[in-house]
Amino acid sequence: QVQLVESGGGLVQPGGSLRLSCAASGIIFSMYDMGWYRQTPGQKRELVAAVTSGGSTDYADSVKGRFTISRDNALNTVYLQMNSLKPEDTAVYYCNAHKVLVTIIPAEYNYWGQGAQVTVSS
């Protein structure tokens, strides 16, 4: 079965750094677009950063210049390096793997990690 296992969450002070990791199994990792989403109570889950199978990246405006997404296909792992953290970055962060198969019968594949708590507080 498909598994996305996240690690690296925790408590950090404002201005600090944290790196999240997401190790995937059960998929051909290099063929998937990977992303990080975050969610707080009462809020919709929002896209933080994404990296396509081709290596293109995209970021939410709120994290541009502070967060960096990267992937290591040899390790089937996607990372989110978070620098200059702010209290408003506090959320549960979810790893996502996504692929759309364009063929005679289109198919979509979408998988989620278990979530990692990131708390930015003094």
Side-chain angles (χ1 to χ4, degrees):
Q1 75 278 23
V2 176
Q3 284 191 305
L4 273 58
V5 180
E6 302 177 25
S7 61
L11 175 65
V12 65
Q13 297 201 7
S17 297
L18 213 57
R19 188 177 77 161
L20 301 180
S21 299
C22 173
S25 61
I27 62 172
I28 304 176
F29 181 82
S30 62
M31 300 300 295
Y32 279 75
D33 300 331
M34 302 298 299
W36 288 96
Y37 292 72
R38 67 186 181 189
Q39 186 172 25
T40 56
Q43 301 294 318
K44 297 290 182 65
R45 188 173 299 184
E46 65 172 349
L47 177 67
V48 176
V51 56
T52 69
S53 61
S56 299
T57 59
D58 189 43
Y59 299 91
D61 288 341
S62 59
V63 307
K64 284 182 179 176
R66 300 188 298 119
F67 290 12
T68 302
I69 189 170
S70 61
R71 66 190 298 158
D72 188 335
N73 288 343
L75 297 178
N76 285 6
T77 301
V78 62
Y79 306 93
L80 185 66
Q81 178 67 47
M82 303 182 290
N83 298 326
S84 302
L85 282 161
K86 305 174 180 179
E88 50 262 47
D89 295 319
T90 296
V92 178
Y93 285 71
Y94 295 92
C95 176
N96 171 259
H98 179 257
K99 180 176 177 60
V100 175
L101 181 62
V102 180
T103 183
I104 296 177
I105 304 177
E108 184 175 3
Y109 303 88
N110 201 47
Y111 304 102
W112 293 93
Q114 80 280 7
Q117 178 68 52
V118 172
T119 302
V120 184
S121 176
S122 299

